[in-house]
Amino acid sequence: MELWAWLTIAGLCVSGAVSPGPSLAVVVKNTVDGGRGRGVATGVGHGIGVGLYAFGAVAGFSALVRAWPRLELALTLGGGLYLLWLGQGALRAGWMAPSDAPSSTHGRPEGTGRVGFVEGFFTAFLNPKIAVFFLALLGSFVPESAGLATRAGVATLALGIDMAWYVVVAIALAGTGAAGWLARRGRPVALGTGLLLSAAGALVIGRALLGE
């Protein structure tokens, strides 16, 4: 595969990763709720979720999605419902918490890396935009004659870029004290995060049902 194709794929993956959205909100939420370890685990989980689609794209699963439109619809609705679930949990935590108390989105113990990993993974895996991007676009840059090593390299590149970005975000939040500052403003942060995730979920579901 030519160098320009590698650079194009890397650029697209970077632009997709750094774009603000539900994924960033989930990483920030988990870093605020559970510290650096939970935030990093969220980034790792998100990267693996992205990696699954990247490997699927270079393996030729795009044709399967095009052949079964209901599969894409089910994935989209599932992603919207998951974002709604996360958003409602954050709203409940923010509503019930004192205005000056740290937020704890679902009442789970702080610092639980497993919680962050699971939320990061499913935020990526159930994100229809990520699915469409990798299954419909990424595979088009990989020639049919590409070998297994090239295909695995492309997928690993996408996984690594996404994971690295969100891990850096979590470390930066925790290291600069920004996570602690946000945690001390638990109620507005939880309510703001909840509104963002709920709105994103409702938008995804609405577009899916309207066929957009």
Side-chain angles (χ1 to χ4, degrees), residues 16-204:
V18 303
S19 299
S23 298
L24 180 61
V26 170
V27 172
V28 172
K29 175 184 75 67
N30 276 292
T31 305
V32 171
D33 286 352
R36 177 183 299 174
R38 183 162 160 182
V40 168
T42 306
V44 171
H46 193 278
I48 292 176
V50 164
L52 287 180
Y53 282 120
F55 277 98
V58 298
F61 290 165
S62 304
L64 178 64
V65 175
R66 289 193 295 268
W68 291 350
R70 291 185 179 181
L71 179 61
E72 182 179 349
L73 176 61
L75 179 65
T76 302
L77 291 176
L81 290 171
Y82 184 69
L83 290 175
L84 274 178
W85 179 77
L86 288 178
Q88 293 305 305
L91 287 174
R92 286 195 301 271
W95 185 258
M96 295 173 63
S99 59
D100 59 347
S103 63
S104 181
T105 307
H106 297 297
R108 299 185 179 102
E110 294 186 356
T112 305
R114 182 178 61 84
V115 172
F117 179 89
V118 170
E119 290 191 358
F121 174 81
F122 280 109
T123 298
F125 187 71
L126 296 176
N127 188 328
K129 289 185 177 180
I130 293 176
V132 169
F133 171 78
F134 284 107
L135 295 178
L137 181 61
L138 184 59
S140 64
F141 287 95
V142 181
E144 294 183 2
S145 60
L148 179 60
T150 299
R151 294 177 181 273
V154 169
T156 302
L157 176 66
L159 183 156
I161 288 174
D162 185 89
M163 184 183 296
W165 167 249
Y166 287 114
V167 166
V168 167
V169 168
I171 292 174
L173 280 173
T176 60
W181 185 87
L182 291 171
R184 289 191 295 273
R185 290 152 181 80
R187 188 171 194 177
V189 169
L191 290 174
T193 302
L195 287 173
L196 173 62
L197 293 174
S198 297
L203 182 61
V204 168

